[in-house]
Amino acid sequence: MLLAQFFTPMNVTLIILLASSIFFMRGKIRSDLVAICALLALVITGILSPTEALSGFSNPVVIMMIGLFVVGGGIFRTGLAKLISSKILRLAGESETRLFVLVMLVTASIGAFVSNTGTVAVMMPIVVSIAVSAKISPRRFLMPLAFASSMGILTLIATPPNMIVSNELEKNGYDALSFFSFTPVGLVCLAVGIIVLYFLSKIFLSKDDSDGQENKKSGKSLDDLTNEYQLHKLPHIVISDDSDMIGKTLKELKISNNYNISVVTVEKPGGGRFRKNVNEVVAGPNTLIEKGDVLVCYGKKGNINRFVEEQGFKIAETVEKETGIFDFEEIGLAEVFIMPNSKLVNRTIIDAHFRDEFNVNILGIQRDNEYKMTDLQKEKLHSGDALLIQGTWTDIADLGDRQDDLVLVGQPLKEAAKVTINYKAPVAATIMVLMVIAMVTNIVAPVIAVMCAAVLMVATGCLRNMEEAYKNINWESVVLIAGMMPMAVAFEKTGAAALISDTLVGGLGTYGPYALLAGVYFGTSILTMFISNSATALLFAPIGIQAAVNMQVSPYPFMFAVAVAASMCFASPFSTPPNALVMSAGRYKFIDYIKVGLPLQLIMGIVMILVLPLLFPF
């Protein structure tokens, strides 16, 4: 009897929430799995029906989040975010203060439109390189970088809590928030953050605690390979329109045998506006030479000049690409090692038919810390040789299956995924602007505007295909939010939300709306330290509404308090993905987040409690 009285639906709901919070805090089980288990527990205990439990997966907020991940992926893939960031950050010059302010402003501005996790991911290498160039410890900037991505709550789509509170208002019969409703709040947060973090980071984060040991890499980047093998501009040889080579394959022409040079790629005339001017093709035996082609060759200067003079060609004056000597969109570089039992040992590259066998070109050989870059065709391969190879990313990745002969270093497909499609940046910018206009003007529902933009990112080639679009979606976050949404339904259904609201109003309401607002804000802020900001917003949004109704005041300042408090969590490295993302790169310890993040979180809360009623009166 006593057990039956204790295990009421409300208490069971609170127990499930408490258990979920403990698992979220421990972090040993994935957060999305915890959310699904909580959802199942609510169904098994009869608190929610299966339809109610699965309602989160059809919620517009969840669908919008999926679309925003795809749109953000397109913006990053085209290099648009990096282009904007790099140009603005150059304005900093040698001023540490100006650099700090610009890092915060640029990060918050990008974070206002795309995922804050993605924003930090693209900004982090830029900020580190600039800090190193300015001879300033990157630790000074990386934590503020992560915090600034959360402070960029300038738009409705900046963070999931923004969309969650807007959805909650609309569900309860109030006007939904507009696209720029959060702009004044976000500007205040950013101003407070810049001022407070400037001093806190200078005091606590300026010292570099690096132990001098570099993390081991699983492979070399494209820049690493280009620099290590001292690759420079390769001559681009323009084929004359009346050349006898036109219409023949490279195998028929025997350029390598006759001139001792290698044709590594063939540039063919390309598309129109917003498309590449040329298409690079990896040179192979069956590559057909056509009118207008340009041969990218590799070899001694004398041999190159002899080839050009005898054929009546000319060498084009080319500008080295930003990413290196090749267009790495389709064609890549990698390093492989010759195995001791390989059939390639003691065979020359010509005798081994390397290009025919593996569909890649050898650009250089590293042996005993010496690099051989010319006259490779007749070079015998030795066990342990490191070969610099060039080919399509797919062909390079396929070498991973040839471990009897070669060992592929690193993960080439991951390197390929880092390459930006820069010529598509104007397209991505146009799509992003159209999406924002559609959401601001309410031409269509926000979720439809986002989904249209996501489809356009794939259809226009800003993302290569649907597989890449799916890879850009953080499914853990999607499942977490969709799984925790029913918890908010259970809170309302069992009366837990009303109980917490009544407790807040009863305990703090007598002291006025400011005290109640403080209770809602810091209640949200404390819970966000232990579970995700989205889950916290889902739980406290109905509580904020109910508290305002009980006190007969406007719910808007309370809902903004929930959204801001859920996003402004800085005292833990695990409260938001950006906080965790910079922890290793900045060599931060948990105590660093307490020293810098906790004072900022408290100051931000006090300022918001004073400012929100001024912007959105009770």
Side-chain angles (χ1 to χ4, degrees):
M1 187 67 178
L2 290 174
L3 287 175
Q5 289 178 344
F6 177 76
F7 287 108
T8 61
M10 181 191 300
N11 288 345
V12 171
T13 300
L14 293 173
I15 291 170
I16 292 172
L17 173 62
L18 178 62
S20 301
S21 300
I22 291 172
F23 283 114
F24 281 136
M25 284 186 285
R26 288 175 62 84
K28 293 185 177 181
I29 301 177
R30 282 175 54 119
S31 57
D32 52 346
L33 180 58
V34 174
I36 292 296
C37 289
L39 179 152
L40 292 173
L42 291 171
V43 176
I44 292 170
T45 54
I47 294 170
L48 295 180
S49 68
T51 301
E52 289 172 328
L54 297 174
S55 61
F57 289 92
S58 61
N59 191 286
V61 172
V62 174
I63 304 301
M64 190 183 299
M65 276 191 62
I66 293 173
L68 287 172
F69 277 122
V70 176
V71 173
I75 291 171
F76 294 129
R77 192 70 161 97
T78 57
L80 178 61
K82 188 174 181 180
L83 176 68
I84 297 170
S85 303
S86 299
K87 287 187 175 181
I88 295 177
L89 287 171
R90 288 194 194 104
L91 298 173
E94 297 181 357
S95 170
E96 183 176 343
T97 301
R98 198 185 313 158
L99 176 58
F100 183 87
V101 173
L102 279 172
V103 166
M104 298 284 288
L105 290 176
V106 173
T107 304
S109 299
I110 297 175
F113 297 97
V114 295
S115 151
N116 56 1
T117 306
T119 300
V120 171
V122 77
M123 287 289 292
M124 194 159 59
I126 299 172
V127 170
V128 169
S129 64
I130 292 177
V132 170
S133 300
K135 297 182 180 179
I136 304 169
S137 171
R139 283 171 50 84
R140 172 78 197 282
F141 300 104
L142 288 176
M143 191 180 290
L145 168 72
F147 292 171
S149 71
S150 297
M151 292 174 195
I153 54 171
L154 301 167
T155 65
L156 182 64
I157 65 172
T159 62
N162 291 9
M163 294 184 286
I164 288 167
V165 298
S166 178
N167 184 64
E168 188 67 25
L169 282 166
E170 194 172 13
K171 190 170 71 175
N172 284 273
Y174 297 94
D175 291 335
L177 302 176
S178 68
F179 190 81
F180 289 111
S181 290
F182 281 89
T183 302
V185 180
L187 291 174
V188 173
C189 290
L190 188 55
V192 172
I194 290 174
I195 295 170
V196 175
L197 278 175
Y198 179 79
F199 295 103
L200 289 176
S201 63
K202 200 172 186 67
I203 296 169
F204 295 113
L205 301 179
S206 291
K207 183 181 177 182
D208 193 346
D209 294 333
S210 171
D211 57 6
Q213 295 179 351
E214 295 183 0
N215 295 329
K216 293 181 179 180
K217 292 184 178 181
S218 59
K220 299 173 184 175
S221 69
L222 296 173
D223 288 338
D224 291 339
L225 291 173
T226 300
N227 294 330
E228 184 175 327
Y229 283 84
Q230 300 181 351
L231 294 178
H232 304 291
K233 293 181 183 178
L234 299 183
H236 288 50
I237 299 173
V238 181
I239 295 187
S240 56
D241 292 343
D242 57 351
S243 173
D244 294 337
M245 289 188 175
I246 295 175
K248 296 180 180 178
T249 64
L250 290 179
K251 185 176 183 179
E252 295 172 323
L253 295 172
K254 298 181 179 179
I255 295 175
S256 297
N257 294 337
N258 295 335
Y259 296 96
N260 201 20
I261 62 175
S262 297
V263 180
V264 290
T265 60
V266 179
E267 292 187 349
K268 295 182 176 291
R273 196 174 185 183
F274 298 147
R275 296 179 64 187
K276 291 186 294 184
N277 295 326
V278 295
N279 295 317
E280 278 190 335
V281 177
V282 177
N286 298 319
T287 302
L288 186 67
I289 303 302
E290 299 173 302
K291 187 176 180 180
D293 284 355
V294 175
L295 306 182
V296 181
C297 298
Y298 196 63
K300 287 185 177 179
K301 187 175 182 181
N303 293 337
I304 295 286
N305 291 337
R306 182 166 65 90
F307 172 61
V308 171
E309 290 173 6
E310 290 184 6
Q311 296 296 329
F313 298 156
K314 65 178 182 179
I315 298 178
E317 294 182 4
T318 60
V319 179
E320 189 173 2
K321 299 180 179 68
E322 183 181 345
T323 51
I325 56 171
F326 301 115
D327 178 0
F328 287 126
E329 182 187 340
E330 299 294 341
I331 299 172
L333 296 175
E335 199 172 38
V336 296
F337 285 96
I338 303 292
M339 294 291 287
N341 58 346
S342 172
K343 64 183 180 183
L344 302 173
V345 174
N346 290 325
R347 298 178 66 186
T348 65
I349 293 174
I350 291 179
D351 292 341
H353 302 290
F354 204 94
R355 179 182 280 177
D356 297 340
E357 178 79 12
F358 301 105
N359 292 322
V360 295
N361 297 311
I362 297 179
L363 300 185
I365 300 175
Q366 179 189 357
R367 181 183 299 152
D368 299 327
N369 293 323
E370 293 184 359
Y371 296 84
K372 185 173 181 60
M373 309 302 295
T374 57
D375 297 331
L376 301 177
Q377 298 298 321
K378 297 180 181 179
E379 183 71 24
K380 283 190 176 183
L381 298 174
H382 296 175
S383 171
D385 281 355
L387 309 181
L388 178 66
I389 59 171
Q390 173 251 6
T392 66
W393 289 111
T394 303
D395 286 335
I396 290 174
D398 287 344
L399 293 180
D401 298 328
R402 308 293 294 269
Q403 295 185 8
D404 289 343
D405 295 312
L406 305 167
V407 172
L408 181 63
V409 180
Q411 296 174 300
L413 291 183
K414 286 190 175 181
E415 282 297 321
K418 298 176 186 176
V419 179
T420 54
I421 315 173
N422 294 329
Y423 65 94
K424 290 286 187 180
V427 180
T430 303
I431 293 171
M432 186 180 75
V433 170
L434 290 175
M435 180 189 75
V436 172
I437 291 174
M439 296 184 76
V440 171
T441 57
N442 265 332
I443 297 174
V444 294
V447 65
I448 300 301
V450 171
M451 294 307 293
C452 287
V455 170
L456 285 174
M457 284 292 182
V458 179
T460 58
C462 294
L463 292 169
R464 297 180 194 277
N465 46 45
M466 283 301 295
E467 284 72 22
E468 186 172 18
Y470 289 133
K471 286 179 182 178
N472 276 285
I473 299 171
N474 187 330
W475 290 108
E476 182 176 353
S477 297
V478 172
V479 173
L480 169 64
I481 293 174
M484 286 303 293
M485 277 186 169
M487 183 69 75
V489 176
F491 255 54
E492 292 186 59
K493 188 175 179 179
T494 62
L499 175 64
I500 296 174
S501 174
D502 291 342
T503 303
L504 283 172
V505 173
L508 300 172
T510 56
Y511 298 101
Y514 275 95
L516 182 58
L517 182 66
V520 170
Y521 186 97
F522 284 109
T524 306
S525 184
I526 291 170
L527 187 60
T528 306
M529 294 176 65
F530 305 112
I531 65 175
S532 78
N533 58 357
S534 300
T536 304
L538 284 165
L539 293 175
F540 264 86
I543 292 171
I545 289 271
Q546 192 64 43
V549 169
N550 289 353
M551 202 168 186
Q552 298 181 342
V553 293
S554 170
Y556 287 93
F558 293 90
M559 298 309 284
F560 275 97
V562 170
V564 174
S567 297
M568 304 293 129
C569 189
F570 311 121
S572 165
F574 310 115
S575 55
T576 65
N579 288 7
L581 198 61
V582 300
M583 188 175 185
S584 175
R587 295 186 175 89
Y588 299 124
K589 299 175 182 177
F590 193 96
I591 191 64
D592 292 323
Y593 289 86
I594 299 294
K595 290 177 181 177
V596 178
L598 186 57
L600 175 62
Q601 193 166 328
L602 291 172
I603 293 170
M604 191 74 73
I606 294 169
V607 171
M608 284 294 105
I609 291 165
L610 296 174
V611 169
L612 285 175
L614 300 178
L615 297 174
F616 309 96
F618 292 116

